mmCIF file of all heavy atoms in Angstrom:
data_model
loop_
_atom_site.group_PDB
_atom_site.id
_atom_site.type_symbol
_atom_site.label_atom_id
_atom_site.label_comp_id
_atom_site.label_asym_id
_atom_site.label_seq_id
_atom_site.Cartn_x
_atom_site.Cartn_y
_atom_site.Cartn_z
ATOM 1 N N ASP V 134 12.723 -0.042 -19.657
ATOM 2 C CA ASP V 134 13.617 -1.161 -19.389
ATOM 3 C C ASP V 134 13.437 -2.268 -20.433
ATOM 4 O O ASP V 134 14.413 -2.916 -20.839
ATOM 5 C CB ASP V 134 13.355 -1.717 -17.989
ATOM 6 C CG ASP V 134 13.746 -0.731 -16.896
ATOM 7 O OD1 ASP V 134 14.560 0.171 -17.187
ATOM 8 O OD2 ASP V 134 13.239 -0.850 -15.761
ATOM 9 N N VAL V 135 12.185 -2.497 -20.844
ATOM 10 C CA VAL V 135 11.935 -3.527 -21.865
ATOM 11 C C VAL V 135 12.573 -3.116 -23.187
ATOM 12 O O VAL V 135 13.183 -3.947 -23.886
ATOM 13 C CB VAL V 135 10.420 -3.735 -22.027
ATOM 14 C CG1 VAL V 135 10.135 -4.722 -23.159
ATOM 15 C CG2 VAL V 135 9.812 -4.233 -20.718
ATOM 16 N N ILE V 136 12.452 -1.840 -23.541
ATOM 17 C CA ILE V 136 13.062 -1.347 -24.786
ATOM 18 C C ILE V 136 14.578 -1.498 -24.727
ATOM 19 O O ILE V 136 15.221 -1.991 -25.671
ATOM 20 C CB ILE V 136 12.667 0.113 -25.030
ATOM 21 C CG1 ILE V 136 11.151 0.232 -25.210
ATOM 22 C CG2 ILE V 136 13.392 0.673 -26.246
ATOM 23 C CD1 ILE V 136 10.659 1.662 -25.316
ATOM 24 N N ASN V 137 15.170 -1.078 -23.613
ATOM 25 C CA ASN V 137 16.628 -1.174 -23.476
ATOM 26 C C ASN V 137 17.103 -2.619 -23.577
ATOM 27 O O ASN V 137 18.093 -2.924 -24.257
ATOM 28 C CB ASN V 137 17.051 -0.571 -22.134
ATOM 29 C CG ASN V 137 16.741 0.912 -22.050
ATOM 30 O OD1 ASN V 137 16.625 1.592 -23.068
ATOM 31 N ND2 ASN V 137 16.620 1.421 -20.845
ATOM 32 N N ALA V 138 16.390 -3.521 -22.893
ATOM 33 C CA ALA V 138 16.796 -4.929 -22.918
ATOM 34 C C ALA V 138 16.663 -5.521 -24.314
ATOM 35 O O ALA V 138 17.509 -6.321 -24.754
ATOM 36 C CB ALA V 138 15.954 -5.720 -21.917
ATOM 37 N N SER V 139 15.599 -5.147 -25.033
ATOM 38 C CA SER V 139 15.413 -5.674 -26.393
ATOM 39 C C SER V 139 16.523 -5.207 -27.323
ATOM 40 O O SER V 139 17.050 -5.991 -28.126
ATOM 41 C CB SER V 139 14.045 -5.237 -26.934
ATOM 42 O OG SER V 139 12.989 -5.721 -26.112
ATOM 43 N N VAL V 140 16.917 -3.949 -27.233
ATOM 44 C CA VAL V 140 17.996 -3.426 -28.073
ATOM 45 C C VAL V 140 19.314 -4.116 -27.755
ATOM 46 O O VAL V 140 20.080 -4.508 -28.661
ATOM 47 C CB VAL V 140 18.106 -1.900 -27.903
ATOM 48 C CG1 VAL V 140 19.325 -1.355 -28.633
ATOM 49 C CG2 VAL V 140 16.848 -1.215 -28.417
ATOM 50 N N VAL V 141 19.606 -4.281 -26.468
ATOM 51 C CA VAL V 141 20.856 -4.930 -26.065
ATOM 52 C C VAL V 141 20.912 -6.368 -26.560
ATOM 53 O O VAL V 141 21.942 -6.838 -27.062
ATOM 54 C CB VAL V 141 21.015 -4.869 -24.534
ATOM 55 C CG1 VAL V 141 22.176 -5.756 -24.075
ATOM 56 C CG2 VAL V 141 21.256 -3.436 -24.091
ATOM 57 N N GLN V 142 19.785 -7.085 -26.456
ATOM 58 C CA GLN V 142 19.765 -8.471 -26.897
ATOM 59 C C GLN V 142 20.012 -8.588 -28.395
ATOM 60 O O GLN V 142 20.805 -9.434 -28.862
ATOM 61 C CB GLN V 142 18.415 -9.099 -26.533
ATOM 62 C CG GLN V 142 18.310 -10.572 -26.911
ATOM 63 C CD GLN V 142 16.970 -11.166 -26.518
ATOM 64 O OE1 GLN V 142 16.105 -10.471 -25.990
ATOM 65 N NE2 GLN V 142 16.803 -12.444 -26.768
ATOM 66 N N ALA V 143 19.349 -7.741 -29.174
ATOM 67 C CA ALA V 143 19.536 -7.790 -30.630
ATOM 68 C C ALA V 143 20.963 -7.411 -31.023
ATOM 69 O O ALA V 143 21.572 -8.041 -31.904
ATOM 70 C CB ALA V 143 18.520 -6.870 -31.312
ATOM 71 N N LEU V 144 21.518 -6.391 -30.400
ATOM 72 C CA LEU V 144 22.878 -5.963 -30.722
ATOM 73 C C LEU V 144 23.915 -6.992 -30.293
ATOM 74 O O LEU V 144 24.912 -7.225 -30.996
ATOM 75 C CB LEU V 144 23.170 -4.617 -30.052
ATOM 76 C CG LEU V 144 22.432 -3.396 -30.618
ATOM 77 C CD1 LEU V 144 22.751 -2.160 -29.790
ATOM 78 C CD2 LEU V 144 22.827 -3.164 -32.066
ATOM 79 N N ASP V 145 23.691 -7.596 -29.150
ATOM 80 C CA ASP V 145 24.681 -8.542 -28.629
ATOM 81 C C ASP V 145 24.803 -9.764 -29.530
ATOM 82 O O ASP V 145 25.894 -10.314 -29.724
ATOM 83 C CB ASP V 145 24.288 -8.942 -27.209
ATOM 84 C CG ASP V 145 25.464 -9.518 -26.442
ATOM 85 O OD1 ASP V 145 26.606 -9.109 -26.735
ATOM 86 O OD2 ASP V 145 25.257 -10.367 -25.564
ATOM 87 N N GLU V 146 23.677 -10.218 -30.084
ATOM 88 C CA GLU V 146 23.718 -11.376 -30.970
ATOM 89 C C GLU V 146 24.483 -11.058 -32.257
ATOM 90 O O GLU V 146 25.260 -11.892 -32.763
ATOM 91 C CB GLU V 146 22.293 -11.823 -31.299
ATOM 92 C CG GLU V 146 21.540 -12.396 -30.096
ATOM 93 C CD GLU V 146 20.105 -12.735 -30.434
ATOM 94 O OE1 GLU V 146 19.687 -12.455 -31.593
ATOM 95 O OE2 GLU V 146 19.398 -13.266 -29.559
ATOM 96 N N ALA V 147 24.278 -9.868 -32.790
ATOM 97 C CA ALA V 147 24.947 -9.503 -34.047
ATOM 98 C C ALA V 147 26.402 -9.115 -33.830
ATOM 99 O O ALA V 147 27.254 -9.343 -34.707
ATOM 100 C CB ALA V 147 24.195 -8.345 -34.716
ATOM 101 N N ALA V 148 26.716 -8.535 -32.672
ATOM 102 C CA ALA V 148 28.061 -8.019 -32.433
ATOM 103 C C ALA V 148 29.065 -9.110 -32.082
ATOM 104 O O ALA V 148 30.268 -8.836 -31.993
ATOM 105 C CB ALA V 148 28.028 -6.973 -31.313
ATOM 106 N N LEU V 149 28.609 -10.358 -31.900
ATOM 107 C CA LEU V 149 29.555 -11.437 -31.611
ATOM 108 C C LEU V 149 30.522 -11.635 -32.770
ATOM 109 O O LEU V 149 31.704 -11.926 -32.574
ATOM 110 C CB LEU V 149 28.777 -12.735 -31.320
ATOM 111 C CG LEU V 149 28.024 -12.791 -29.989
ATOM 112 C CD1 LEU V 149 27.236 -14.098 -29.894
ATOM 113 C CD2 LEU V 149 28.983 -12.664 -28.824
ATOM 114 N N ASN V 150 30.037 -11.472 -33.990
ATOM 115 C CA ASN V 150 30.911 -11.637 -35.158
ATOM 116 C C ASN V 150 31.860 -10.460 -35.332
ATOM 117 O O ASN V 150 32.794 -10.528 -36.147
ATOM 118 C CB ASN V 150 30.075 -11.802 -36.424
ATOM 119 C CG ASN V 150 29.251 -13.082 -36.410
ATOM 120 O OD1 ASN V 150 29.690 -14.103 -35.858
ATOM 121 N ND2 ASN V 150 28.063 -13.031 -36.995
ATOM 122 N N TRP V 151 31.603 -9.383 -34.610
ATOM 123 C CA TRP V 151 32.456 -8.197 -34.715
ATOM 124 C C TRP V 151 33.454 -8.100 -33.565
ATOM 125 O O TRP V 151 34.199 -7.126 -33.474
ATOM 126 C CB TRP V 151 31.616 -6.922 -34.730
ATOM 127 C CG TRP V 151 30.582 -6.940 -35.824
ATOM 128 C CD1 TRP V 151 30.637 -7.616 -37.005
ATOM 129 C CD2 TRP V 151 29.333 -6.246 -35.820
ATOM 130 N NE1 TRP V 151 29.514 -7.400 -37.757
ATOM 131 C CE2 TRP V 151 28.685 -6.545 -37.047
ATOM 132 C CE3 TRP V 151 28.693 -5.391 -34.927
ATOM 133 C CZ2 TRP V 151 27.441 -6.032 -37.387
ATOM 134 C CZ3 TRP V 151 27.452 -4.876 -35.269
ATOM 135 C CH2 TRP V 151 26.827 -5.201 -36.490
ATOM 136 N N GLY V 152 33.459 -9.119 -32.673
ATOM 137 C CA GLY V 152 34.365 -9.099 -31.535
ATOM 138 C C GLY V 152 34.023 -8.046 -30.505
ATOM 139 O O GLY V 152 34.902 -7.592 -29.763
ATOM 140 N N VAL V 153 32.743 -7.665 -30.442
ATOM 141 C CA VAL V 153 32.300 -6.595 -29.552
ATOM 142 C C VAL V 153 31.199 -7.133 -28.647
ATOM 143 O O VAL V 153 30.328 -7.894 -29.094
ATOM 144 C CB VAL V 153 31.791 -5.376 -30.366
ATOM 145 C CG1 VAL V 153 31.244 -4.301 -29.440
ATOM 146 C CG2 VAL V 153 32.921 -4.822 -31.222
#
Side-chain angles (χ1 to χ4, degrees):
D134 293 339
V135 176
I136 298 174
N137 296 336
S139 300
V140 173
V141 170
Q142 182 179 2
L144 290 176
D145 199 30
E146 292 176 356
L149 288 176
N150 295 326
W151 305 333
V153 176

